[in-house]
Amino acid sequence: MEAFGKPGLPPTWATSDKDRVGTALGTSRLWFTLGHGILNEVFWPSVGRPQIRDLGFIVAREGFWREVKREARYRILEEDPASPLVEVVHEGEGYRLHLALVPDPGRDALLVGFRLEGEGFCLYPLLAPHLGGSGWGNTAWVEEGALLAKKGEEALALLGPFARGSAGYVGFSDGWQDFAKNGAMTWTFPRAEDGNVALMGEVREAEGTLALAFASTPEGAKTLAKGALAEGLEGVRRRVEALWRRELGDLDLKGPEPALEALARRSFLVLRAHEDRTYPGALVASLSVPWGNARDDPGGYHLVWTRDAVEAAFALLALGRLEDVGRVLAYLAATQDGDGHWAQNFFPDGRPYWQGVQLDEAAFPVLLAAALKERGGLPEGAARAMVRLAAGFLAREGPVSPQDRWEENPGLSPFTLAATVAALAAATLYGFLEGAEAEYALSLADCWNARIEEWTYVEGTALDLAHATRGHYVRLSPPGPLGLRGRVEVRNREGVSLEPAALVGLEFLELVRLGLRPPDDARVLDSLRLADALLRVETPTGFFYHRYPEDGYGEHEDGRPFDGRGKGRAWPLLTGERGMAAFLLGDDPLPYLRSMAGGTGRGGLIPEQVWDAEPIPERNLFPGKPTGSAQPLLWAHAEYLKLYLAWREGKAPPERLGRVAARYLGGGGRPRMRHFRREVPLGALAPGEGLLVEEREPFVLHLGVNGWQRVRDVASEPLPFGLHGVLLDLEGAESLEFTFYYPEKGRWAGRDYRISRA
């Protein structure tokens, strides 16, 4: 008889605040997460494909039952923070449940050792299949003591010493509902078809092993599970330990504070556990779905963001792991779009998910290639072609980015500009470009670098007067003729917009990190003072930073999950960015490291955001501790590692390229040519500067001098990277007036421009 309640309640994912993440290395293609002391999403056959919601446990005896996840009385046993082996002990009224999670290095399987102590207790594993990346459309059944599920070409099997089992629809006929209504396991439904389903088995033995395996067929999953059980928990454990000992090798992260050293080792595990093996080099942002227990999001954070992946690769570079970084670079070369950019984010196989465009995501792979070349570890293969394509995209599409680094607004951001300038300069200075392309890219980098303050720095604002600063960098200047005089819409906050001067952020720190501005630049110091005053939040666990005022990406005031609206919370990764600025200024970064460590979750993982309001215990929200956003966040662990290594070894951040920093901090890089583009008009030329008027299509420049005298027309000529331009100077003239005509479209620009001599 099939279970009742088809198709079940709308599915959700597990909570995003994970205790642990892990994988076995080897040939296995399985990754697991632990949250609230139980197994959460398991990913197979890639880090972008979650296949279950969770595997939890009920312990019961006559007249009494508890679900250990809801009890939340557990501790995690740990010998080495860099080990993927996880042991958890749950304790409750009259019982103790010991769980050991051991991923199989050679099979797509995970072993769960269990030991249940307590008179008369039985164990009831609860499995929620989400095959194919969703809870809908799953079929579950019980067959010969095995709990099985299938959807399309993906299947799972959970094997163990089951005395009986049941399949049901979530919210109606699943095993938890059975206990909630009847106080015991009374249902033994053999099958639940095509819905949001769940499985439960009864284990009467006090000690044993479960095996969860995945394959393209139920038979294949059963075979893998049986094979893992036949080898045994201890045999599989020994192989995992050997592989990870080899992986860790001579990794040296020793430091004077054990808690900080432990987080550094765990951060290395997080970085390695987020890399795919079917698609080597693919690093997803997080093995979690932010606020996953409130939604059935097919993407979550288990996608590749180029920026996050490269930030993680830079942490690996700081560790000297050039081979690991080379895999990331090769993967990025394989997933680059034909025009030179990368999709906003994409599945590990390269399929785009969101469709936004961010210039920094085209710049970061160039910086990574140059950094690897600087250290002598660059695999020449496709790197030159990749860099040339990316540099061409930046040159054509910059300097205005369709989205900033937070994927929210178009405009000119110090963070994006810093990455773009450094990438264009590096493409030439490290020999990826040659001839006219190299000369053009470097000239463009010099010009844009010189204009960063014009675009993103304000003086004498109300904020500056209130905080005794002369001026400050803004988070973003919007596109259009108003620029810094315009307004920026605040995403995730309905009807809220701010003047750019009010949008304080830490974006400007990338100028210092990449070596475009010295850390003691007066403009940087004033901006730091303002950011510390407006964005820094003190909590019982440490201090953290908001992204910007009026941020709406986070839980609501009452703790409800983010649902497209909310209130932005504080970010530990920004504490890391601020700490690196402190280090570069010669200050002690130790308080920043301690804060990042203080903001970790129960299992020592760094979240995307921490709660910064009064505690809401019923929603598991406590000041200075993780919210329901992503945990762990790959980027946050990368920032921690980079800062930890800078503090321990006294080295500059790995993103800083020697030749780029030497050019812009050493007094070079003064522009000899100004590049005029209509989206960022130029008002004046300094003596000795040339002028290159540019467009992305052929045009005729209709121009005159000194108030439209000596009018003439000049046809554009091809420039590198598919651009077109007219080279001019103001010799003998006080001003130049011009407009554009596009012969291929038969239209005028509809606006006149004027450039004067400075």
Side-chain angles (χ1 to χ4, degrees):
M1 179 179 68
E2 185 173 323
F4 62 89
K6 184 176 182 176
L9 292 175
T12 64
W13 291 104
T15 176
S16 55
D17 57 335
K18 308 304 182 189
D19 296 322
R20 284 286 192 276
V21 296
T23 187
L25 301 180
T27 59
S28 170
R29 300 172 300 161
L30 182 146
W31 297 258
F32 70 90
T33 65
L34 182 87
H36 293 200
I38 66 166
L39 191 66
N40 283 173
E41 290 95 351
V42 174
F43 296 78
W44 170 87
S46 80
V47 286
R49 195 75 164 172
Q51 301 287 5
I52 71 167
R53 179 188 189 275
D54 54 22
L55 172 60
F57 298 90
I58 286 175
V59 294
R61 62 184 176 190
E62 187 173 354
F64 175 91
W65 69 279
R66 292 288 186 273
E67 185 185 15
V68 298
K69 176 183 73 173
R70 295 173 191 263
E71 290 286 275
R73 296 168 58 185
Y74 67 94
R75 66 184 189 277
I76 301 172
L77 309 180
E78 179 176 79
E79 293 183 6
D80 182 358
S83 171
L85 298 170
V86 179
E87 296 192 33
V88 187
V89 178
H90 293 267
E91 294 186 87
E93 186 180 340
Y95 71 87
R96 179 183 292 115
L97 174 63
H98 185 284
L99 300 173
L101 306 185
V102 182
D104 192 320
R107 305 176 184 90
D108 294 340
L110 175 76
L111 293 178
V112 182
F114 65 88
R115 185 174 70 253
L116 179 59
E117 301 171 9
E119 185 67 30
F121 277 97
C122 289
L123 186 66
Y124 297 86
L126 298 161
L127 176 62
H130 273 42
L131 293 166
S134 173
W136 288 127
N138 285 251
T139 293
W141 68 98
V142 181
E143 180 182 285
E144 298 176 351
L147 308 184
L148 304 168
K150 189 177 189 303
K151 178 181 176 180
E153 298 300 314
E154 293 165 309
L156 65 78
L158 179 64
L159 272 60
F162 294 121
R164 53 183 177 148
S166 184
Y169 294 102
V170 172
F172 297 93
S173 52
D174 64 86
W176 193 91
Q177 293 294 329
D178 191 5
F179 270 94
K181 293 175 180 178
N182 304 309
M185 182 180 179
T186 65
W187 298 336
T188 53
F189 299 115
R191 194 172 186 89
E193 288 269 2
D194 191 21
N196 181 18
V197 300
L199 289 152
M200 184 172 75
E202 181 182 66
V203 177
R204 295 170 184 170
E205 297 180 11
E207 187 171 358
T209 304
L210 309 176
L212 176 66
F214 300 85
S216 58
T217 64
E219 293 80 7
K222 285 174 65 176
T223 297
L224 291 172
K226 288 179 179 179
L229 289 170
E231 183 174 350
L233 189 75
E234 292 308 314
V236 173
R237 185 198 300 272
R238 285 192 294 271
R239 287 199 291 126
V240 174
E241 290 172 337
L243 280 169
W244 273 91
R245 278 197 302 270
R246 189 182 314 155
E247 178 70 17
L248 293 168
D250 57 358
L251 181 71
D252 178 15
L253 290 170
K254 294 188 184 303
E257 294 201 13
L260 300 185
E261 178 186 337
L263 183 52
R265 291 183 66 82
R266 188 172 297 116
S267 294
F268 175 75
L269 167 67
V270 169
L271 265 59
R272 291 296 291 113
H274 279 71
E275 182 182 353
D276 202 75
R277 280 190 283 283
T278 303
Y279 305 99
L283 290 164
V284 295
S286 178
L287 291 173
S288 72
V289 179
W291 301 285
N293 53 334
R295 66 189 68 194
D296 184 31
D297 185 343
Y301 274 17
H302 42 84
L303 298 161
V304 179
W305 273 263
T306 302
R307 172 183 46 256
D308 298 52
V310 173
E311 294 282 11
F314 274 125
L316 293 169
L317 192 66
L319 289 168
R321 298 182 68 91
L322 304 189
E323 184 178 333
D324 295 342
V325 178
R327 285 197 308 275
V328 176
L329 199 63
Y331 172 78
L332 292 173
T335 51
Q336 187 179 27
D337 191 82
D339 69 357
H341 88 292
W342 280 264
Q344 181 177 358
N345 52 27
F346 42 95
F347 293 100
D349 64 6
R351 286 174 296 134
Y353 187 59
W354 290 345
Q355 302 301 314
V357 175
Q358 300 152 31
L359 291 188
D360 67 299
E361 291 206 308
F364 270 109
V366 177
L367 300 179
L368 186 63
L372 201 53
K373 186 171 185 178
E374 191 171 64
R375 290 160 176 78
L378 181 68
E380 286 289 348
R384 182 178 296 274
M386 183 199 78
V387 169
R388 181 178 178 275
L389 277 173
F393 181 82
L394 294 170
R396 282 191 307 278
E397 303 303 324
V400 178
S401 180
Q403 288 184 341
D404 66 350
R405 71 164 170 169
W406 303 124
E407 308 181 294
E408 294 183 350
N409 298 94
L412 293 148
S413 161
F415 182 92
T416 305
L417 287 167
T420 300
V421 166
L424 286 169
T428 293
L429 296 175
Y430 287 87
F432 293 103
L433 300 178
E434 297 176 347
E437 290 184 341
E439 183 179 344
Y440 178 84
L442 193 58
S443 174
L444 196 60
D446 292 345
C447 174
W448 288 353
N449 178 63
R451 298 187 70 185
I452 287 174
E453 281 70 30
E454 173 192 340
W455 294 328
T456 66
Y457 185 79
V458 293
E459 290 184 336
T461 70
L463 282 178
D464 295 313
L465 292 173
H467 293 274
T469 54
R470 179 175 179 178
H472 64 277
Y473 289 97
V474 302
R475 170 201 157 208
L476 186 82
S477 176
L482 291 178
L484 288 168
R485 302 187 308 278
R487 295 188 72 82
V488 177
E489 176 191 352
V490 178
R491 299 294 171 88
N492 308 315
R493 295 290 300 278
E494 188 173 358
V496 177
S497 67
L498 296 174
E499 296 178 351
L503 273 175
V504 177
L506 291 176
E507 278 74 5
F508 68 94
L509 293 181
E510 198 72 2
L511 298 169
V512 175
R513 186 181 292 218
L514 296 182
L516 304 187
R517 301 292 183 273
D520 58 355
D521 185 300
R523 296 164 299 194
V524 169
L525 295 177
D526 274 351
S527 300
L528 277 174
R529 190 183 315 164
L530 204 55
D532 284 340
L534 298 177
L535 303 178
R536 178 164 158 157
V537 179
E538 300 285 345
T539 78
T541 67
F543 54 87
F544 306 95
Y545 288 80
H546 287 147
R547 299 192 301 175
Y548 55 85
E550 302 294 335
D551 185 7
Y553 182 57
E555 278 91 349
H556 291 266
E557 295 280 8
D558 61 4
R560 283 179 294 121
F562 173 76
D563 55 8
R565 294 285 185 270
K567 178 177 172 57
R569 305 297 166 180
W571 290 57
L573 80 83
L574 294 178
T575 302
E577 289 188 352
R578 179 63 180 86
M580 187 64 79
F583 168 77
L584 292 171
L585 276 166
D587 297 333
D588 186 4
L590 196 53
Y592 300 87
L593 289 167
R594 288 171 176 160
S595 290
M596 294 184 78
T600 57
R602 190 165 183 169
L605 300 177
I606 305 176
E608 180 181 57
Q609 301 177 42
V610 296
W611 186 245
D612 53 12
E614 291 299 311
I616 306 179
E618 62 271 23
R619 293 190 181 273
N620 197 36
L621 294 171
F622 300 94
K625 284 299 181 180
T627 69
S629 60
Q631 182 189 188
L633 187 68
L634 187 73
W635 185 359
H637 279 277
E639 287 301 321
Y640 179 84
L641 261 181
K642 287 184 283 187
L643 184 59
Y644 180 84
L645 292 168
W647 165 66
R648 199 190 70 159
E649 300 174 8
K651 293 182 180 179
E655 299 96 322
R656 177 170 291 193
L657 301 170
R659 297 176 193 176
V660 173
R663 183 174 186 83
Y664 295 113
L665 296 181
R670 180 178 176 180
R672 294 174 296 172
M673 180 76 66
R674 293 290 185 168
H675 296 251
F676 178 96
R677 296 191 178 180
R678 289 196 298 147
E679 60 266 36
V680 284
L682 184 70
L685 281 182
E689 290 181 341
L691 176 66
L692 184 58
V693 180
E694 302 174 340
E695 267 287 10
R696 298 172 182 87
E697 59 182 305
F699 64 94
V700 172
L701 198 67
H702 182 67
L703 74 156
V705 297
N706 300 335
W708 284 107
Q709 298 180 42
R710 303 201 302 271
V711 174
R712 59 193 174 108
D713 291 333
V714 181
S716 65
E717 296 183 357
L719 296 174
F721 306 121
L723 290 156
H724 304 267
V726 173
L727 182 63
L728 299 166
D729 64 56
L730 264 68
E731 291 300 326
E734 293 303 316
S735 67
L736 177 70
E737 294 79 28
F738 57 91
T739 189
F740 296 80
Y741 177 72
Y742 303 96
E744 293 183 357
K745 296 179 179 178
R747 65 174 179 84
W748 291 88
R751 179 184 171 187
D752 292 347
Y753 299 89
R754 184 177 187 273
I755 298 178
S756 62
R757 185 187 297 278

